[in-house]
Amino acid sequence: DTAVSQTPKYLVTQMGNDKSIKCEQNLGHDTMYWYKQDSKKFLKIMFSYNNKELIINETVPNRFSPKSPDKAHLNLHINSLELGDSAVYFCASSRGSGAGRGGYTFGSGTRLTVV
Amino acid sequence: QKEVEQNSGPLSVPEGAIASLNCTYSDRGSQSFFWYRQYSGKSPELIMFIYSNGDKEDGRFTAQLNKASQYVSLLIRDSQPSDSATYLCAVRTGTASKLTFGTGTRLQVTL
């Protein structure tokens, strides 16, 4: 059983389109995250939810909208995709709202390519 | 100044040698420190975490933390070709759950 699963694994789409990425974790964790990893491998946090409540919202264009229907799921919707959105998007989860106990468990990533 | 800094490498070590990976962080209030390994095209996986000053050993890996110098390192003993990957340092500050990552150091273990 995959602990943190993301779909799709690859996403190729045209500029201007709207797309969604889904994430599910079966670890019983309370907190979930979206990170973006650019071409230089830099991992930057975008959003975090704790028990369906948004607790971290970094400086991200409002074309990006996260949604957490329950604590096991976190989705990311992106409107009006731009070339600069091309990256790998990782979902992660952790126990409690402090990552201090054991860090994060990451999903396998979604490679988004905007053409 | 970046919040978490690492030398991007590549750091090249021969098989069987000790690899030393270093990380500095800017926020003196940082509390928890993590090392992740990321193979090319894969997701980061946690290999070590440390909270207190000093050394923490787990198998071939040793994490070292010096809060006064705002420095954390990872030593890999008896390096193997399978250790070739990018190693990401991550730091948690305050009560927020956010981990801030460095840009990673690419390690190459040569035969």
Side-chain angles (χ1 to χ4, degrees), chain B residues 69-80:
Chain B
S69 302
Q70 294 174 242
Y71 176 91
V72 57
S73 64
L74 180 70
L75 301 178
I76 306 175
R77 287 183 298 284
D78 187 24
S79 294
Q80 301 297 308

Side-chain angles (χ1 to χ4, degrees), chain A residues 35 37 97 100-102 104 107, chain B residues 34 36 38 43 46 51 97 99:
Chain A
Y35 273 79
Q37 189 170 46
S97 59
R101 300 296 168 209
Y104 298 168
Chain B
F34 302 82
Y36 283 81
Q38 186 174 24
S43 58
L46 180 67
Y51 310 128
S97 53
L99 285 188

Side-chain angles (χ1 to χ4, degrees), chain B residues 3-41:
Chain B
E3 293 180 70
V4 181
E5 295 214 50
Q6 297 180 254
N7 188 319
S8 61
L11 172 66
S12 187
V13 300
E15 186 178 4
I18 296 175
S20 177
L21 303 157
N22 305 315
C23 172
T24 58
Y25 57 94
S26 60
D27 189 330
R28 195 168 280 281
S30 298
Q31 301 166 346
S32 312
F33 308 86
F34 302 82
W35 283 100
Y36 283 81
R37 177 176 62 200
Q38 186 174 24
Y39 293 112
S40 181

